[in-house]
Amino acid sequence: MKCFYQDVDHNGKGAAALVKVLHPHCELVGLDSPELPWDSIEPGEVIYMVDMALQPYTEMVRLADYCDFHWVDQHFTSIMGLKALGVELNGKQEFGRSSIELLWEYLHADAPVPLAIKLIGAYNRWDHSDPRTLLFHYGLRLENTDPGNTALWTKLFAHDTTHVQEIVERGALIQQFVEREYQDYAKQAAFVTQLDGGIRALAINRGLTGSPILDPLFDPQKHDVICIFYFQASLLRWRFSVYKPASSQSDANCNDIAAKYGSSLGGDFNAANFSLPYIPFKLPLPK
């Protein structure tokens, strides 16, 4: 039994951890690209794929025909790509939800959703109506969130919220530091450029972060989207994340932006990722 998951955030890692906690013998395989190590899969083997999809999408059909396949995903591109093929796969796919929330429902039916899953899911969906959402996200950075660390995830998936509250409290301290660091870094490194189609992007070269680093500088009169990018040495490629803040007045679709660059890693209207071996936009010239 194997679980393939997108190894880039707590949504994908947490979803994989759900499988691992329920099936301790499951082998976890984190992927940051839609390519699968086919040689490692046995015919008829139980395979979970969470928070990601293979490309081309016909490979998903091939995998489903080859093994006992369960696919749980939230990404609009992938869901529509499979619908276009006229194929329905086992699992649970739903746009507008987070993969970890969908997988909990798939594995545990009507059981109450643990607070940790609610907070991870809300952060992934850009829903910060619960003030603990961002704080929990920051606090998790101090934890070993590898999905194989079942000691941590078992506590997080429990309905005793003691450990979740401890993480939230630590996150409040981290937030103060991060916001100050973001402010200083953004003032020095942010710039405006254009993406394909003339979309105005407020951009910054900063790895392993998200849109909050540029949110305070985003001006809907001057910018359409936020673009965070960095060089991913392990893959020898540049990784790009495109976000559309709630204040944006643009009709830009982040998923369409990623698709135009031909290397979509999945996304939706307000957030999407892609990777390329080069930077596809102009960098600012020295003044």
Side-chain angles (χ1 to χ4, degrees):
M1 180 178 183
K2 293 183 178 66
C3 176
F4 296 100
Y5 65 99
Q6 186 171 197
D7 188 18
V8 295
D9 58 22
H10 293 136
N11 182 48
K13 292 178 181 179
L18 271 175
V19 178
K20 184 68 173 179
V21 169
L22 187 63
H23 302 285
H25 64 286
C26 180
E27 178 184 349
L28 301 175
V29 184
L31 300 175
D32 193 22
S33 67
E35 298 178 0
L36 194 71
W38 282 97
D39 293 343
S40 69
I41 301 174
E42 299 293 333
E45 184 177 6
V46 175
I47 299 293
Y48 279 85
M49 181 168 290
V50 295
D51 200 38
M52 64 167 294
L54 302 179
Q55 295 180 15
Y57 297 120
T58 51
E59 290 291 271
M60 298 285 284
V61 180
R62 175 188 170 195
L63 187 59
D65 290 340
Y66 187 69
C67 63
D68 183 359
F69 185 52
H70 305 264
W71 178 43
V72 177
D73 198 7
Q74 69 187 68
H75 295 112
F76 180 82
T77 309
S78 304
I79 294 172
M80 297 306 296
L82 267 296
K83 283 188 176 181
L85 295 177
V87 176
E88 293 186 8
L89 301 179
N90 289 333
K92 192 174 183 67
Q93 308 90 38
E94 186 177 334
F95 172 65
R97 305 285 302 285
S98 67
S99 295
I100 191 171
E101 292 169 312
L102 293 173
L103 184 60
W104 175 267
E105 293 177 6
Y106 183 62
L107 296 176
H108 298 283
D110 297 325
V113 181
L115 177 59
I117 291 179
K118 291 180 179 179
L119 295 177
I120 292 173
Y123 181 83
N124 183 261
R125 292 184 280 102
W126 291 48
D127 178 2
H128 291 187
S129 55
D130 186 330
R132 296 173 296 181
T133 298
L134 183 59
L135 303 183
F136 186 65
H137 170 74
Y138 283 139
L140 276 180
R141 295 185 179 187
L142 293 181
E143 303 282 346
N144 173 15
T145 55
D146 184 285
N149 182 13
T150 54
L152 168 68
W153 289 104
T154 298
K155 288 192 292 185
L156 294 182
F157 296 151
H159 292 289
D160 179 354
T161 62
T162 301
H163 194 58
V164 173
Q165 298 296 345
E166 292 173 353
I167 292 175
V168 168
E169 291 173 6
R170 290 196 295 269
L173 297 175
I174 296 171
Q175 183 188 35
Q176 297 178 35
F177 168 78
V178 167
E179 289 183 348
R180 179 169 297 180
E181 183 187 36
Y182 277 178
Q183 183 180 31
D184 294 340
Y185 189 89
K187 285 181 178 179
Q188 296 292 325
F191 63 95
V192 178
T193 188
Q194 284 195 351
L195 303 178
D196 189 17
I199 295 172
R200 303 168 300 173
L202 178 62
I204 196 167
N205 182 0
R206 174 68 182 256
L208 304 179
T209 186
S211 63
I213 191 173
L214 291 181
D215 281 342
L217 299 181
F218 186 85
D219 183 344
Q221 300 299 320
K222 300 177 181 178
H223 316 130
D224 299 316
V225 298
I226 284 173
C227 180
I228 312 292
F229 67 101
Y230 68 99
F231 185 71
Q232 196 167 7
S234 60
L235 298 177
L236 297 179
R237 296 173 71 86
W238 291 88
R239 182 180 177 89
F240 304 85
S241 296
V242 184
Y243 307 92
K244 190 166 73 169
S247 62
S248 176
Q249 299 174 4
S250 170
D251 60 358
N253 182 327
C254 293
N255 186 69
D256 287 348
I257 294 171
K260 286 180 179 179
Y261 288 110
S263 184
S264 176
L265 296 176
D268 54 42
F269 298 107
N270 295 319
N273 305 295
F274 61 94
S275 65
L276 293 169
Y278 59 89
I279 297 175
F281 47 75
K282 292 182 179 180
L283 298 176
L285 297 174
K287 294 182 181 179

